[in-house]
Each structure stands twice: as structure tokens, then as C-alpha cells.
Amino acid sequence: MKQGKKYVDSVKLIDSTKAYDSSEALDLVCQTAKAKFDETVELHVRLGVDSRHADQQVRGAVVLPNGTGKTVRTLVFAKGEKIQAAIDAGSDFVADDDTVKKINDGWMDFDVVIATPDMMGVVGRLGKVLGPRGLMPNPKAGTVTPDVAKAISEAKAGKIEYRLDKTNIIHCPIGKASFGAEKLGENLDTLMGAIVKAKPAAAKGQYIRSVAITSTMGPSVRINPAKFGA
């Protein structure tokens, strides 16, 4: 596969055999984000757990101090007085009788789905559509809650969900390249702190195996996992 000139030039700035300090790695990622759009910076963490076991799952949510740089559109499933609470809190969409059919027909103009516990019977019918896209409300992520106003506020402030995939890796955005290394570093430390805190009791041996960051179009930069207690 032929790489573009900008990518090739960026690769020359990075020592692929080195695990950098996080501040130096973030500086490099910002330098190598050379696309014409504001690239997203992503974190990839390989953990020393086995996702096939229920007692070694790692999942949760955290509000990044500097947000993600993305405008988040919320859809709320609620009834009664919670509908007005969602509207007052600024939710982009509040589900009505036709929403389930619209979603099943392909409507996906939202980024986060929030539901009150008494609406999960309705939302559950959308599991096959929302689940594969990572949009299914979940209590651990704070998206199944009676306090819809708080959930909406956190989602729009930059709350992200982290979740182990089948290869025992967590992939999450930590902001935009335009944030600069300092703000990205604050987001990185907050997310890594949450991941470390979520270590399952059943996990044995080294928990944080490897850490890497990359921009949307740039090369990957490895971070020394020792910084995070590995």
C-alpha cells in the first residue's frame, strides 16, 4: 500500500522502537496531524485481561476535562415529567411513538442514547440496531438513569465510554489535534486514571500492556506504560 507524502514525512519524526513519555508523544501526534481538517486524537490501550471471562471485563465512562471537540447529539427515551426535563436540559431529540420505527428504518442522526429505567423495555427492542453501533444505553455508562438532565449535560460536556474489545484493547478519542499537547494530556490522564481504577479483581500480572496514541491520518506513537503504573 502506497502512503502519502505527508504520512511518510511524519513517520520519519517517530522512533517506532521507542516508548515515549506521554507529553513528548502528544507533541509528536500534534506535529504529525497534517490533514486539512482537525484530526481526532485516539488512545489505544492493550490490557492484560481476557475479555472472554465475565469477571475480567473493563467498561465504564468518564467526562474528559477538555471535552472531545465533537458536537454531541443526544436522543432521550423518557415519559411523563422526564420528557420536559430532557427538553429543558437541551436534548437534541426526545423519543416519541414513531422513534422506534424510524430507527429501525435507518434513522441515526444522534450520537448518544439516554433512557430512563422505565423505558428500557421499549429501547430493548432496538438492541440489534443500537448494540453493534455502541449506542445501546447502559447503567455503567450512565446512560440508563432517572436523572436525564445530568446525563445530557455530561454527554455534551465530553463524556466518553470506554470498553474492552475482543482483542483486549480499549480504543477511545481523547480530543482534537487543535487542543494542543497540554489539554490532550489532561484528557489522557483522566481516561487512563479511570481505566486503571477499573482493573478487575480477577486480572493477574501486568494490567497495562501497551499504550499508543494516533491522529486520524497520522502514524501511531507508543507511550511508556510505566507512567500509568504498569
Side-chain angles (χ1 to χ4, degrees), residues 2-13:
K2 187 177 180 180
Q3 302 289 358
K5 184 177 183 299
K6 289 181 180 179
Y7 183 88
V8 172
D9 289 342
S10 293
V11 168
K12 293 176 183 177
L13 299 174

Side-chain angles (χ1 to χ4, degrees), residues 40 62 133 144:
T40 296
V62 64
R133 294 173 171 81
V144 177

Side-chain angles (χ1 to χ4, degrees), residues 16 39 45 75-76 109 119 131 133 140-141 146 155 195 198 203 205 215 221 226:
S16 62
E39 297 182 48
V45 186
L75 166 64
V76 175
D109 294 339
M119 288 297 288
R133 294 173 171 81
K140 289 185 178 179
I195 293 172
S215 61
V221 184

